[in-house]
């Protein structure tokens, strides 16, 4: 029952503000399957039918970067864009045949930036690890829970180089451009240490209940600043462009 309640809460959020960016380019979402089961999908539609939230939503909006929200703040179901399925709907991750939930809620809105890709064929020159084969992740630290599937413009503030199972898994720290905190936060040094430490430690520990080791972090475990963050986003956008153009091997990823 707990899972179903968490789900219905996540789905019931219908704050119009978080759909404002989506409205600019006519994106809507439609549920298929049953919430809390393997069949659930949140499908994205444009004016001419199905679209991919990964490939068809632009990286940049009018005031910031477009974030596709996968996991609303204070929920536990590990929802993510299904990169290997046609049109890349949002689905619940499955590990070892079971639907995956976090062991406790995530305290921020979590999602990704469209039109980005962490290339698993590319070794980071300093960190000597390869990308995790996903769009770049975003942790949005604003005051409101954002809806699953909503497209919200965010201001990047910093980025953390998480090393997960030997793969590079960047975490962009950002705030929604229309959140009151966006007026206070312009760079990583504006963000209180308690928030930065909280985000890092949450991601360090979150897999340990599954007998997984602590995650590590590059760059002395520090967040890089906003300018460096934009460079990282740009690099992942370039990697995505090569993937989309067929210049990089896609493997099982759906890119049409």
């Amino acid at each position: 029952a707990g899972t179903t309640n968490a789900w219905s809460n996540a789905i019931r959020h219908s704050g119009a503000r978080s759909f404002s960016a989506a409205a600019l380019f006519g994106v809507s979402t439609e549920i298929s399957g049953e919430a809390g089961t393997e069949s659930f999908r949140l499908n994205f539609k444009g004016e001419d039918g199905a679209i991919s939230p990964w490939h068809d939503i632009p990286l940049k909006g009018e005031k910031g970067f477009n974030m596709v929200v996968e996991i609303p703040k204070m929920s536990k179901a590990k929802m993510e864009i299904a990169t290997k399925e046609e049109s890349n709907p949002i689905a619940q991750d499955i590990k070892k045949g079971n639907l995956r939930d976090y062991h406790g809620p995530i305290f921020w809105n979590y999602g990704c930036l469209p039109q980005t890709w962490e290339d698993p064929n590319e070794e980071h020159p300093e960190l000597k690890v390869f990308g995790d084969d996903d769009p770049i992740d975003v942790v949005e630290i604003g005051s409101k829970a954002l809806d699953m599937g909503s497209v919200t413009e965010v201001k990047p503030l910093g980025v953390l180089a998480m090393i997960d199972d030997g793969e590079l898994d960047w975490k962009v720290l950002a705030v929604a451009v229309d959140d009151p905190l966006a007026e206070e936060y312009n760079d990583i040094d504006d963000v209180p240490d308690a928030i930065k430490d909280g985000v890092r430690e949450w991601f360090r520990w979150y897999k340990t209940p599954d007998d997984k080791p602590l995650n590590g972090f590059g760059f002395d475990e520090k967040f890089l600043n906003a300018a460096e963050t934009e460079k990282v986003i740009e690099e992942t956008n370039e990697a995505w462009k090569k993937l989309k153009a067929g210049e990089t091997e896609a493997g099982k990823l759906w890119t049409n």
Side-chain angles (χ1 to χ4, degrees), residues 13-41:
H13 276 303
S14 58
R17 70 178 269 289
S18 46
F19 281 96
S20 58
L24 292 175
F25 35 85
V27 176
S28 62
T29 53
E30 187 176 273
I31 291 171
S32 61
E34 190 181 337
T37 73
E38 288 184 26
S39 69
F40 175 89
R41 296 292 182 273

Side-chain angles (χ1 to χ4, degrees), residues 181-197:
L181 289 172
E183 293 177 22
E184 295 176 42
Y185 298 167
N186 294 300
D187 210 328
I188 196 62
D189 289 341
D190 300 328
V191 180
D193 287 344
I195 294 176
K196 290 183 284 196
D197 294 346

Side-chain angles (χ1 to χ4, degrees), residues 134-182:
D134 280 326
I136 197 167
D137 295 320
V138 184
V139 181
E140 194 278 331
I141 59 172
S143 50
K144 295 180 183 173
L146 303 174
D147 309 336
M148 186 198 315
S150 61
V151 181
T152 300
E153 289 192 40
V154 299
K155 178 202 291 190
L157 303 167
V159 69
L160 193 58
M162 186 170 98
I163 315 291
D164 180 357
D165 251 348
E167 294 179 333
L168 178 57
D169 187 3
W170 291 107
K171 303 295 181 193
V172 173
L173 195 74
V175 63
V177 296
D178 61 355
D179 193 281
L181 289 172

Side-chain angles (χ1 to χ4, degrees), residues 7-71:
W7 263 90
S8 47
N9 288 342
I11 292 167
R12 199 163 55 235
H13 276 303
S14 58
R17 70 178 269 289
S18 46
F19 281 96
S20 58
L24 292 175
F25 35 85
V27 176
S28 62
T29 53
E30 187 176 273
I31 291 171
S32 61
E34 190 181 337
T37 73
E38 288 184 26
S39 69
F40 175 89
R41 296 292 182 273
L42 189 64
N43 306 288
F44 287 72
K45 289 192 164 185
E47 289 162 4
D48 301 319
I51 64 164
S52 161
W54 182 18
H55 302 302
D56 298 327
I57 291 173
L59 172 60
K60 291 186 178 174
E62 289 190 333
K63 297 178 181 175
F65 289 84
N66 286 321
M67 170 188 180
V68 178
V69 179
E70 296 165 311
I71 307 175

